Amino acid sequence: MSIYDDQEKDIVRSNAGRGETFAEIMQRRMNRRSFLRGTATASAVFMISACSQAPTETATGPTTAPATDAPTTAPATTAPTTAATAEPTMAAVASDFTFSAIPPSPATKDETVVPAGYAVATLLRWGDPLTPDAPEFDTNNQTAEAQAKQFGYNCDFIGFLPLPEGSSASDKGLLVVNHEYTNPELMFPGYTPGDPTQEQVDVEIEAHGVSVVEIQRNAQGEWSYNKGSQYNRRLTGTTPMTISGPAADHEWLKTSADPTGKDIRGTLNNCAAGKTPWGTVISAEENFHQYFANLDGLPDDDPRKAVHKRYGIPAEASERVWEKYHDRFDATKEPNESFRHGWAVELDPYDPTMTPVKRTWLGRFRHEAQTFGIAPSGKVAVYTGDDARFEYVYKFVTSGTYNASDRQANMRLMDDGMLYVAKFNDDGTGEWLPLEFGKGPLTEANGFTSQGDVLIKTRLAADALGATKMDRPEDIEPNPVNKKVYMVMTNNSDRGKEGKAGPDAANPRAENKFGHVIEVTEDGDDYAATTFTWEIFMLCGDPEDDSTYFAGFDKSKVSPIAAPDNVTFDLKGNLWIATDGQSGALKLNDGLFAVPVEGPGRGHLQQFFSSVAGSEVCGPEFTPDNKSLFLAIQHPGEGGTFEEPISSWPDGVQPARPSVIAIRADNGGVIGQA
Ligand code: FEO
Ligand code: CA
Ligand code: CA
C-alpha cells in the first residue's frame, strides 16, 4: 500500500452511501459454508507470526546484464537478484508448476528474489529516454520538457501488444505502461513537502500518465527497448484528450479554459488498465481526487460540493500542492475540473496520432482497471472496481457486438451499453444492478437529471441502488480458461469498526488486514449475464493464522500473502497475484504469487518473486508464449526520502527508480513450468 493510497483512504468517508450491511447475511452464510467457520472470530485471532518462514541465504549472485541489439538502448545496469537455490522452504506438490516457492523476504531487503533457474533483468527505468530527441536522465537537472519524453514514474499496469498488430508474436511488441503517481520526496534532492517549486510540480505532472514503448527479445530471451520507434509515446497530465458517451455533453465538464467541456488536459493516477479484444488499452484513473484542493472554498449550497465530497476532494491544500501553480487543481477556482477525471481512458498504442478518449459509460470513480470478456452473444463485458474502502464492483456490457474484422467499429463499442454494479447475496448468488437513468431510484426526484448525470455521480447512483460495499476492489479479471471472474479485495481495516459496515458474506472478516479473492461464475458462463454465483477463493494472510483460507488446500504448503492487487492468468488459467502492502501487513516485501484455480492443486499458492524495500509489485504480464514475464516495481524506497533512502534499486545509486523488469527461465521455457 502506498503512502498516498493510505492517506486518501482516510479522507474519504465512503460509507456515506446507503449500501447494505450484512451481519445477518454473514452469519447465515457462514453456517452454510464450513470454510468460513474459522473466520467468525477473525478480528480476535489476527496474531500474525511475521516472518515465520524466514528467508534463507542461498543467493547465487547477481545476474548478468542483458546483451543489447543496436540500435536499441538498454539500461546500463541490471539489478541485483537472488535466485533461490537449495532447501526450498515449500515443496512443489499437486500443481503443474515446476518451481519451488521462494521464501518471503523481510521488508528491509533491497534485492529481488526469483526461484532457482530464473533470471531478472531491468528493462525500463523512470527517466529512460523514449524518443530520439529525449535527453538522458539527469537527477540534478530534471525538467518537465525532458520528463515528457522519458519513461514516467511509478509504473503500474503493463500490457504487451504484439508487433505486427494482430499477430501473436512474443519476440516483438509494444509495452504499454501506466505511471500512477509521483513520490517527490524520492525524486528530487532538497524537496520541501508542502512547498514545491514550479519546476518540480511540472516534472511531476509530466511523470504521470502512460508510456508506449516498442521492445524486442533476442535469441537468448533478453529484452531491450527501441528508442527510435515510431510508436514510442508518452501520455501525461497535460496531453490533450477528449471524452465520449452520455456524460460528454454535461454542463459540469465545462471549465473556464475549455467552454466545450470536451478538450480535456491529461490523465492522472493511471493505476491498472486492460487490453481490449481489438488491441487498444483502456487505462484507469484511480485516486484522481488527491490532485485537487480547497473544496471548502465552494459554497455549501453549490450542488457540486456534495458530489465532490463523496469523491474525497480535499477540503484544503492538496498533498502535492499543484494548485499553487495551476488554477485547474483548485476546486474553488475551477469547480468542474475534477469532473473531467476519474474516468477510463482508451488509447490506441498502434496509432501514435490517436487522441485518447475518456469513455464515460464505464463510470466515474477511482477506477482500478478495466478487463474484458466476450459473451456468447458477441457483446463485450468490461469489469472494473472502485478501489476505496466500502466501494463497489462494476461491469459495463456493450449494446453492440464484437467484430473481429472491423476494428473501427469495435472502437465505438464503449459508447453504447449499460453500466451495472454488483450485489452479493447471502446464499452465494449475486445480481448486476443497472445504473439506468429513470429506473428505480435513479430519477430526477432523487437528484439525477440524465444518464450522463448518473455516470458523473456513479458512486451516488450505486449507493441508491443498495450495491454491496466491498473491501477495496483491486483487479477484477475474467479467466479466459475457466471463464470464472476473479475479484481481488486488497484489504479494509475499517470493516466492522464503529460506525462502519460490518462483515458480510462476500467480505467476511472484520478489520480485514490481509485481503481476499472472490471467484464469480456468471450464469451460463455468459459475461453479459445479470446474475451470477460466487465463492470465496482465498482469505489471505499468514497461513498459520486461523482466519486464512486457500480454497481448501493444505495450508502448511502455501506461502504467506497479504494485500493482493493486480492479477493475470497464464496459458493454463493459473492465477498470478501481485501484492501491494505486505510490508505493513506481514513485515515482508511485496511479491508475485502463483496459484492453480482448478484440479488437485487448486489453492496451492506459491511465491514466485519477491521485490525490494518500499516497493509494490504491479502489472504482471506474460508474453503470448508465456516465456517472458514483465513486472512493474513501483515506488522502490517509499517510506524514505532522497536524502535518507531505504532503497537504491535498481542501480545501487540514488535515487531509486521505479522500473519494469523482465523475468525469463534460464532454459528458455514457460514461466512457472520451465
Ligand atoms: Fe493503485 Fe488500487 O491500486
Ligand atoms: Ca492496483
Ligand atoms: Ca496498488
Side-chain angles (χ1 to χ4, degrees):
M1 180 186 313
S2 82
I3 287 174
Y4 292 107
D5 280 351
D6 203 28
Q7 288 174 339
E8 64 88 10
K9 297 305 171 336
D10 290 328
I11 293 169
V12 71
R13 288 292 171 262
S14 50
N15 64 337
R18 203 203 59 175
E20 294 178 56
T21 60
F22 280 85
E24 291 183 359
I25 290 173
M26 176 190 70
Q27 192 57 51
R28 287 197 297 275
R29 185 162 175 78
M30 285 172 56
N31 289 341
R32 194 171 77 80
R33 296 185 178 275
S34 59
F35 67 77
L36 286 177
R37 282 182 196 132
T39 70
T41 56
S43 61
V45 295
F46 278 174
M47 297 298 291
I48 305 307
S49 53
C51 305
S52 61
Q53 299 170 72
T56 51
E57 295 299 323
T58 55
T60 55
T63 54
T64 54
T68 59
D69 296 335
T72 62
T73 300
T77 60
T78 298
T81 301
T82 300
T85 59
E87 305 297 335
T89 55
M90 288 159 277
V93 296
S95 82
D96 50 4
F97 292 124
T98 56
F99 72 95
S100 295
I102 62 167
S105 297
T108 52
K109 184 166 181 167
D110 199 29
E111 189 173 324
T112 59
V113 183
V114 289
Y118 290 87
V120 179
T122 309
L123 175 59
L124 284 159
R125 302 165 299 182
W126 166 49
D128 280 341
L130 299 186
T131 57
D133 60 338
E136 293 292 328
F137 178 68
D138 182 349
T139 305
N140 295 306
N141 296 289
Q142 184 69 326
T143 66
E145 183 184 12
Q147 180 64 78
K149 300 172 182 174
Q150 297 170 334
F151 196 63
Y153 202 76
N154 273 346
C155 33
D156 197 294
F157 168 82
I158 302 172
F160 179 86
L161 292 99
L163 282 173
E165 178 191 340
S167 75
S168 57
S170 288
D171 291 333
K172 189 177 179 67
L174 301 177
L175 215 57
V176 179
V177 182
N178 277 353
H179 302 292
E180 184 179 359
Y181 66 98
T182 46
N183 290 87
E185 75 283 8
L186 298 176
M187 296 169 70
F188 306 113
Y191 180 79
T192 304
D195 189 23
T197 67
Q198 177 154 8
E199 190 65 56
Q200 289 168 339
V201 166
D202 291 348
V203 169
E204 287 190 78
I205 294 172
E206 299 304 317
H208 280 69
V210 185
S211 289
V212 180
V213 192
E214 182 181 326
I215 61 172
Q216 58 269 308
R217 185 170 69 181
N218 67 16
Q220 288 72 47
E222 299 158 339
W223 289 93
S224 55
Y225 78 93
N226 182 359
K227 183 179 173 183
S229 170
Q230 60 175 319
Y231 296 108
N232 290 3
R233 183 182 190 188
R234 282 296 322 283
L235 273 54
T236 76
T238 59
T239 303
M241 27 196 86
T242 188
I243 192 162
S244 72
D249 293 322
H250 201 287
E251 280 296 310
W252 285 5
L253 294 185
K254 297 174 181 175
T255 66
S256 58
D258 173 26
T260 72
K262 293 180 180 172
D263 185 13
I264 313 284
R265 281 290 172 273
T267 186
L268 296 169
N269 213 261
N270 302 75
C271 187
K275 296 184 291 186
T276 67
W278 47 94
T280 63
V281 166
I282 300 190
S283 179
E285 297 182 338
E286 196 189 25
N287 294 310
F288 68 95
H289 64 290
Q290 65 183 283
Y291 304 100
F292 298 92
N294 300 332
L295 184 61
D296 268 358
L298 212 57
D300 287 343
D301 61 356
D302 188 318
R304 295 170 294 189
K305 190 167 187 176
V307 180
H308 286 323
K309 274 192 174 177
R310 180 67 181 84
Y311 281 79
I313 303 297
E316 299 175 339
S318 71
E319 179 76 23
R320 295 180 184 76
V321 209
W322 292 358
E323 69 274 13
K324 180 176 177 183
Y325 302 108
H326 300 285
D327 283 353
R328 68 178 173 126
F329 297 113
D330 188 320
T332 302
K333 295 175 180 170
E334 292 289 346
N336 287 349
E337 178 68 18
S338 67
F339 289 130
R340 295 143 65 94
H341 298 268
W343 302 105
V345 188
E346 184 167 12
L347 65 135
D348 184 355
Y350 295 107
D351 179 6
T353 68
M354 184 234 187
T355 300
V357 186
K358 301 197 177 189
R359 302 289 190 189
T360 64
W361 254 125
L362 299 184
R364 179 174 166 273
F365 42 86
R366 298 183 198 171
H367 277 274
E368 173 63 25
Q370 295 68 229
T371 58
F372 298 82
I374 299 175
S377 64
K379 292 186 175 188
V380 179
V382 188
Y383 293 90
T384 180
D386 183 348
D387 180 7
R389 294 171 186 153
F390 305 107
E391 291 299 338
Y392 306 116
V393 171
Y394 298 88
K395 176 173 79 169
F396 173 74
V397 179
T398 60
S399 296
T401 56
Y402 173 68
N403 181 346
S405 61
D406 192 345
R407 191 165 187 258
Q408 287 307 310
N410 294 333
M411 288 182 68
R412 293 190 291 273
L413 285 174
M414 291 298 110
D415 288 338
D416 190 15
M418 183 51 60
L419 183 66
Y420 300 85
V421 64
K423 181 177 180 181
F424 293 80
N425 296 323
D426 62 333
D427 60 356
T429 65
E431 304 160 57
W432 292 105
L433 308 172
L435 277 73
E436 184 175 1
F437 172 64
K439 297 285 178 64
L442 306 183
T443 60
E444 294 204 32
N446 290 320
F448 299 99
T449 59
S450 65
Q451 185 63 55
D453 199 53
V454 166
L455 293 169
I456 284 181
K457 305 171 184 168
T458 301
R459 281 184 165 184
L460 290 86
D463 292 342
L465 290 169
T468 303
K469 296 172 173 300
M470 310 301 289
D471 284 349
R472 288 189 58 197
E474 295 269 12
D475 265 6
I476 314 292
E477 191 146 341
N479 183 335
V481 176
N482 72 359
K483 306 298 183 190
K484 297 181 190 302
V485 183
Y486 291 82
M487 301 186 170
V488 175
M489 305 300 138
T490 194
N491 59 56
N492 182 355
S493 55
D494 281 355
R495 173 75 61 184
K497 283 189 175 173
E498 189 175 349
K500 305 287 175 67
D504 60 44
N507 303 276
R509 292 191 289 191
E511 299 183 29
N512 181 7
K513 189 176 177 185
F514 307 114
H516 61 282
V517 181
I518 302 170
E519 182 182 64
V520 164
T521 305
E522 298 276 25
D523 282 356
D525 285 337
D526 180 354
Y527 292 131
T530 55
T531 52
F532 59 87
T533 57
W534 62 272
E535 297 281 347
I536 296 285
F537 176 70
M538 184 181 300
L539 295 168
C540 300
D542 188 311
E544 294 186 0
D545 183 314
D546 286 344
S547 77
T548 57
Y549 171 75
F550 295 84
F553 199 83
D554 180 353
K555 294 205 291 183
S556 71
K557 296 182 171 61
V558 305
S559 299
I561 181 174
D565 188 338
N566 301 135
V567 301
T568 194
F569 302 94
D570 62 26
L571 286 169
K572 293 187 175 180
N574 297 307
L575 177 65
W576 293 69
I577 307 171
T579 65
D580 173 14
Q582 291 207 140
S583 61
L586 293 172
K587 304 285 186 276
L588 301 173
N589 274 338
D590 280 308
L592 180 74
F593 302 77
V595 57
V597 296
E598 300 287 351
R602 175 177 161 88
H604 183 200
L605 181 89
Q606 297 182 94
Q607 186 165 358
F608 180 83
F609 171 82
S610 182
S611 193
V612 301
S615 71
E616 67 171 282
V617 181
C618 300
E621 173 79 343
F622 292 102
T623 45
D625 63 7
N626 277 201
K627 293 180 177 177
S628 298
L629 169 64
F630 301 106
L631 298 176
I633 307 304
Q634 186 175 156
H635 54 75
E638 190 168 77
T641 63
F642 191 98
E643 284 74 23
E644 296 184 34
I646 63 169
S647 173
S648 58
W649 186 88
D651 298 335
V653 298
Q654 286 305 304
R657 293 165 74 177
S659 301
V660 169
I661 60 172
I663 297 177
R664 68 181 188 277
D666 294 340
N667 67 7
V670 168
I671 302 290
Q673 296 157 38

